[in-house]
Amino acid sequence: MDTDRLVAMLARDAEPVVRGAAGRRFGAALLAGSTAAAVLMLALLGLRPDLREAAGDAMFWVKLGVPAVLLASALAACTRLGRPGTRLGSAGVMLLLPIAAIWLLAAHTLASVPAAARVALVLGDSAAACVVSIALLATPVFIAAFWAMQGLAPTRPALAGAFSGLLAGAAGALVYALHCPEMAAPFIATWYLLGIAGPAVVGAILGPVLLRW
């Protein structure tokens, strides 16, 4: 069979792609996964008891803002990576802004306290629990994000998997922040970012396996 006939045969029943399909698919996945993560958090951890008082502290909103911006950037990247031949664009650069901001704030905080107090600001009281809890709460979003990406046509599966995992990690951190009592910038810059990075690494590893087409 010559090339022209093959192309004509493949294109015979092709239908136009619905505009915005990738965004709607990931939006549905994020809604379902985040709802499951919130239910999981309430069932296993619970809201922090002083949530209303904490909301009056600027660092509470910083703690929510960092994963929220990462989530928005990862969502934009995922919708682009789900379409063949689409460049990542500014979505990758946008990831650097909240990371740089929280690192600078953490560095300023550490520089403003005595050396003996710095380790406590980094470790807090729940370092290990933070990373594990974010990974746990990210799991429903991770599954939903991979479902969304599998229904699209990613041509860079490792990168698509990494950003799907990053989306899940950011969502998990955002939900976990409603339970976590830690408010220090060095803690957030270390353990929250590690918790978010974990699912991204797993996604990059699983992407070439689960996102092949």
Side-chain angles (χ1 to χ4, degrees), residues 32 36 44 70 82 85 92 98 107 119 121 152 165-166 187 193 204-205 210 212:
L44 299 179
L70 289 174
V119 173
L121 285 176
L152 301 173
L166 183 65
F187 183 95
L193 292 186
I205 295 170
L210 300 179
R212 295 172 62 186

Side-chain angles (χ1 to χ4, degrees), residues 66-138:
V66 169
V69 176
L70 289 174
L71 187 152
S73 301
L75 181 59
C78 283
T79 57
R80 296 181 68 83
L81 289 168
R83 302 194 295 268
T86 304
R87 294 182 178 274
L88 193 57
S90 61
V93 178
M94 288 296 293
L95 293 172
L96 301 178
L97 297 180
I99 295 173
I102 193 61
W103 278 354
L104 286 173
L105 183 58
H108 173 74
T109 301
L110 291 173
S112 65
V113 299
R118 292 171 185 167
V119 173
L121 285 176
V122 173
L123 295 179
D125 296 317
S126 58
C130 175
V131 175
V132 172
S133 297
I134 289 174
L136 175 64
L137 297 176

